Amino acid sequence: MFALQGRYAAWLFIAPAMIAVTVFIYLPMVLNVGVSFYDWNVLRNEFSWKGVENYLSTLDNIDFRSAAVNTAIYLAVLVPAQMLIPLVLAFLMLRVRNRFAVRTYRGIYFIPTIVSFSIAGVVWLWMFNPIVGFLNTLLESMGFAGHRWLSDPDMALWCVAAVSFWKGFGLNLILYAAALVNIPREVIEAAELDGAGAWTRARRIEVPMISPTLFFTAVTTVLIVMDEIVGVVDVLTEGGPYNSSSNLVYFLYERAFRQFNFGEAAAVATLIIAIVAFATWLQFRAFERYVHYQ
Amino acid sequence: MIRTAVSSKARLGRRGALRVAGGGAAAAVLIGSGPARSANASIDIVHFFSGADHPMELVIKAFNQKNLGVTAVSRQEGTTYEAITQKAMAGIAAGRPPAVMTTGWKLASFAKHTLGAQDIRGAGADGNAVLENYKPDVIKMVTVDGAVMGIPWALSTPVLYINMDHWKAAGLDPAAIPTTVEDLYVKLAQLQQKTGKSALAYEVNEWEPQAFIQNAGGDVLDSGGKPVMDSPAAIYGMEKFVEAKTKGLWKPIGLGEMLTAFQAGALGAMVTSSARLSGIKAQTAFEIKLAKMPGLEGKARRMNSGGNFLAILARNKEQQAAALQFLKFCATPEAMKLWLATGYLNTTKHELPMPAGQEAAYAQLADGLTPETVWPGARGLEALKVHIDWISRIVNGSATVANGLKGSKDAVAKLLA
C-alpha cells in the first residue's frame, strides 16, 4: 500500500512538468505535423488539404536546399569548435593558480554569452562595415585588401559562424571548467604519483571523468547551432546575400513570418524536428558508450 | 462568438481537419464583431515609427486633442512592414484587428486579399471626401483591383545623395549635378580618384533596380501582374545599374552599411529614399545635396515611388467609422504639415511648405512617379524575395544580367501562376 502511494506521489510530483512539456512542446509538435499537410489560412482559419505537396515543394525549393547545406556547414564547423576550443581553454584555466585571474578569465569568456545580441550586433555590424569598419581599416593599414564581409556571398556564412562562435563558446567553457574543478583531487594526485604528465592526465583521467559534461555539451551544442544562430543571422545578414548565410530555422522563420506560408513552414518545421531527432539519436548511439558516470 | 471555418475546397471530417484546425495554432478564431464601443471609441494605430516625438506620434496626439469622440492609441509594433503585418495577422486571427495599420505599398495586394483591408470608397461619401484631399496620381498607387486600400500616407522616391565636401574637393562643379547615370559615373570616377573615397552605393533590393529597369523603358511586372523583368529594356537598365560595380565605383554593401558609411563621410554619393534626409542630416556635419536620381542617356525618365498607406483593418462598423475619422484628420493640412517633417513627400493637394533640401524629391514627384511594384497573389511576398535574391546574384556576379533576370522571371512566374 505504501509503495503504491509512493508511486502515486511520484506521478503527482512530475505531473506539472509533464503537463507543461506536453502542452507546450509535444502537442504543438504533433499539431505542426498535422498542419504541414494543409494550406492554412490563419486569418480565416481555413485548412485546405495538400497532402505531401508542402513537403515536395519544400524539398524542391533551392533556398531550402541551400539553407540545409549551410546548416550542415555550420554544424560541421561550430560543433567541434564550440567543444574543443573551450575545452582547451578550460584546461589552461585549470593550470592558473591565481584565483583572481581565473575569475577574470571566466568573466571575459562568459560575457559574450550573456550580452544581448541586438546590442552586440550593432558593434559587429560596425566591425564588418566594408568602408568604415574596424576589420577593413586594420587590414588596409597593414597593406592587405579589405573585404565586403557580410555582403560577400562567399564570406557571409563564415562571418556569421565566427560571431556565433564568439557568442556561444563561453557557456561550454564554464561547464567544462566547473566539471574539471570537480574532479576529485586525490585521483589527479594518484596519477601524478604514478608519473602521469599533463597530457596523459588530461587524456586518461580528466577527459574521461568529465565525459558526462562533454556528452551533454555535444547534444546541446548541436541544438544551439541549429537554433540560436538565427539571432545572429537575422541581425547581421538576414540570411543573405541570396541565402548564402541562411540556415534551416531561419528559412522556416522567413516562410512563416515574412511570407506567411504556414503550411510549408509547418513542413519545414517537421523536417527540422526529424533532423534534430536523428542527430540526437546518432549522438547517443555513437558516444554514450564512452560516457563514464561516477 | 467562436467560429471555426473549414474550406469548402476540402471539407474534412471532424476527427481529421477540425482536430488539426482547432488545435493548430490557437485555431479557434474570433471573427466578426468585437465589443461595441459607443461613447468614446478607442482605435489602435499600428505603425513602426519609433520615438515619442516622431511625427506619427505628433499626428496621433493632435488628433486626440480634437476630442472627436475617438481616441487613437499609438502602437509601434516592430520596425519593418513584415513585423507589423505579422502582429496584425495575429490580432486579426484573435478577433482584435488593429483599426489602422501603416502598410507598405508593396503589400497592397496582400492587404486586400489576405488582411481584408477595407476599400475606402466603400465607406461612401465620407470615404470619398477623404480621398478628395489626395492627388489623383497618388490615389492610383493605393488602388488594387479597383479598390482603394487606404490613404496614401508616406510617399518617398529614390534620390541621389551627394557629399558636397567630397564633390568640391574633387574639383567638380557644385552647379553641374549629373542628370544621367552615364555622366554620374564619369564624375564619380573623378571624385574617387581625387579624394580616395568610395564613390557610390546603391541599395541591393528590388526598389532601386526597378528605377533602372523603368528608366530604360522596361517593367518588373506588367499591368496584368505578369513578370516581364527580362525584357531587352529591363536588361539594359540593369546593366547600367551594375556598371557602377564593374567600373569600380561601387562596392555592393548592405543598406545599414551604406548609411553608416555615408554618414561617416566615407562615401561620395548614394542612392536611397528621399525620406531619409532628415535622419541623415541629423547625423552629419558635411554638406549634403539631394539630386534627382539620374536617368539613362536617351531614355525617358520613369521613376518609381515607395512608402506606405494607412489601411483600415477594423472589422466592426463602429471601429471602421472611428478609423475613418482618424484618416479624415490625417488628410487635413494640419496633420500633413506635422507628417512632412519625416521627409516623406506631400501626397495631398494642400499647399504646404516643402521641407528644406527636398526640392529634388518634389521635382521628381512633379515629373510623375510610378508605384512600387505590388506583388500579387497568395505567394506574392515569396516572389518578391525570389526577385531580390536574383538581383543580389546579379550584383554579386553569380549571374549575368540577362541570366539573372531570366531566372527571376521564371521563378516569379511559377509563384504567381
Side-chain angles (χ1 to χ4, degrees), chain A residues 40 43 45 47 148 242-243 255, chain B residues 5 25 27 114 252 382 396 398:
Chain A
W40 179 22
L43 301 185
N45 200 29
F47 288 80
R148 285 193 295 135
Y242 52 90
N243 302 303
R255 224 38 176 179
Chain B
T114 306
E382 198 181 332
N396 282 293
S398 308

Side-chain angles (χ1 to χ4, degrees), chain A residues 147-181:
Chain A
H147 296 283
R148 285 193 295 135
W149 305 112
L150 302 172
S151 299
D152 184 339
D154 295 326
M155 300 198 79
L157 180 142
W158 302 107
C159 295
V160 168
V163 174
S164 187
F165 171 77
W166 169 85
K167 181 91 181 86
F169 85 102
L171 180 62
N172 285 354
L173 174 67
I174 293 295
L175 292 172
Y176 295 149
L180 286 170
V181 165

